Structures are given as C-alpha cells and as structure tokens.
Amino acid sequence: MFGRFIAFATFEVKRCRFSRLIHHPRVARWIHPRGFEPVVTRCLVDTDWDGPVWDVGSNVGNIAYEVAQRHKVFAFEPNLNLLYYLGYKLKDCPNATVVPCALTLDGKAMQCSIEPNFSLPNIGPMAATLSVDEALKKFGRPGVIKLDIEGGEYEVIKSSSLTGLKLLVEWHRAVPTSLDRWNIKNLDATHTLLTPK
C-alpha cells in the first residue's frame, strides 16, 4: 500500500529530482528487490528468445530495463506522463528502443492518457498508434511480445499476424482457459505465457 502511494506521488511530481530518483534503476531494485512483477521479469530475462522482446505497455520501464540487460527490447508506451520516466530509465540501455505509441489491432489514432492512474478515463490528446502489422513490418519478428495494455489485449490478440508468435499477457479481466492459436501456461493469477499450437 505504501509503495503504491509513493509510486503515485512520484508520477504527480513531474520532472522533479525526487521522482527521477525513485525511478532510477538502482532505487527501483531497492523498492522491488525481486523485480517489478518478478515472475514476468524472470520469464522475459531468463528465456533465450529467438528475437527481440516487445514490452507493450512498458509503463516506466522497470521490466524493459531488466530485459535490456540481456536482450534487445522495444518498449511501447503511449501514456504521455510515463514516457518521460521511461526515457529516463532506458537512457543508458543501448539494447532498448522506446516506441511512443500504443500497439493496436487497426492502427487508428486513439485518445491517450496524461494521467498515471490507469483507472481514470483517457483525457489526453489523440495519439498515433501502430497496428500489429505495421509494428511487425517496422521492427521485424519478435521473440516474444509482453502485453500489459489495460484490457486492450483481448482486441490485439485477434490479429492473425500474431499467429506463430509467443505472447506473455497480463489479463485485465477474465483469464482465458483456452485459445484457438495458443497453448496457455499460467505464470500467476493474471499472467499467462502463450505459445503457438
């Protein structure tokens, strides 16, 4: 509870030294000694993927930073408030590329958020997105895609272009028990690793 309060407070104090300090990789490791979402982080870092990791919904880059120590990572994040911290966290990571867009099924512009609290409605300006097809064309085939997109995962996985790819998904509603194109391995209560059938 206290950790969530500190995280929320640091988002609200934009670009101040305290909030940058909180998001420094060494401080993040102190706050989350086993890693932020440790099961997800360990799976992404410790697995030998056959391509780069796409961290879709990268937030402030806690997971992307850890992944970039071992793998090439593309960190997708459309939230205008979080992009500052994401860039700050990944500035010394040559394996990391920040993609300031959402990943969507259709690539249509969407209203983005300027709020750190994802439960609030998006009240920011319209933002560009990349469709799954556009992202694959631009960045090539990933070894795995981590999807943490606040409920948008149910729409994105409809893309036929994802067939044959591995996905690590955080489900924001019901966790599916079966999918036509993937085998499901539960990592914890809300995260699954999907491998092609």
Side-chain angles (χ1 to χ4, degrees):
M1 182 69 161
F2 181 69
R4 283 186 176 197
F5 171 76
I6 291 294
F8 183 77
T10 60
F11 287 129
E12 293 300 301
V13 185
K14 296 174 181 74
R15 298 183 188 230
C16 78
R17 289 181 188 197
F18 175 71
S19 58
R20 283 197 312 259
L21 174 67
I22 289 293
H23 294 295
H24 190 280
R26 279 182 265 161
V27 175
R29 281 194 184 137
W30 179 75
I31 294 171
H32 304 286
R34 294 181 50 231
F36 183 78
E37 294 182 337
V39 172
V40 173
T41 302
R42 292 285 41 99
C43 180
L44 293 173
V45 171
D46 295 342
T47 305
D48 291 322
W49 305 107
D50 59 353
V53 174
W54 288 9
D55 183 359
V56 181
S58 194
N59 199 285
V60 297
N62 289 325
I63 292 173
Y65 177 84
E66 296 297 330
V67 172
Q69 306 311 302
R70 182 151 187 256
H71 305 285
K72 185 174 181 71
V73 62
F74 291 92
F76 291 72
E77 181 53 61
N79 183 297
L80 298 176
N81 189 14
L82 300 179
L83 278 171
Y84 172 78
Y85 298 103
L86 178 62
Y88 177 73
K89 174 120 354 146
L90 299 179
K91 67 183 174 57
D92 297 321
C93 295
N95 275 343
T97 300
V98 174
V99 182
C101 296
L103 184 69
T104 62
L105 182 62
D106 58 15
K108 292 180 181 175
M110 61 181 260
Q111 192 165 21
C112 68
S113 180
I114 56 174
E115 295 291 334
N117 183 345
F118 296 119
S119 65
L120 296 175
N122 291 344
I123 59 168
M126 296 301 285
T129 71
L130 288 173
S131 71
V132 172
D133 291 333
E134 291 168 325
L136 287 167
K137 185 176 179 181
K138 185 168 188 67
F139 303 120
R141 184 180 171 91
V144 66
I145 300 174
K146 184 211 94 182
L147 288 175
D148 181 358
I149 51 178
E150 308 308 311
E153 62 275 7
Y154 301 94
E155 188 70 17
V156 168
I157 68 167
K158 293 177 183 176
S159 172
S160 60
S161 298
L162 294 177
T163 301
L165 295 177
K166 296 176 184 98
L167 308 176
L168 196 162
V169 183
E170 178 174 339
W171 303 98
H172 290 270
R173 295 191 298 270
V175 176
T177 56
S178 68
L179 292 167
D180 291 338
R181 295 179 285 158
W182 290 282
N183 298 308
I184 301 172
K185 178 183 177 184
N186 292 323
L187 300 178
D188 63 20
T190 59
H191 295 94
T192 62
L193 179 63
L194 307 181
T195 55
K197 285 187 174 177

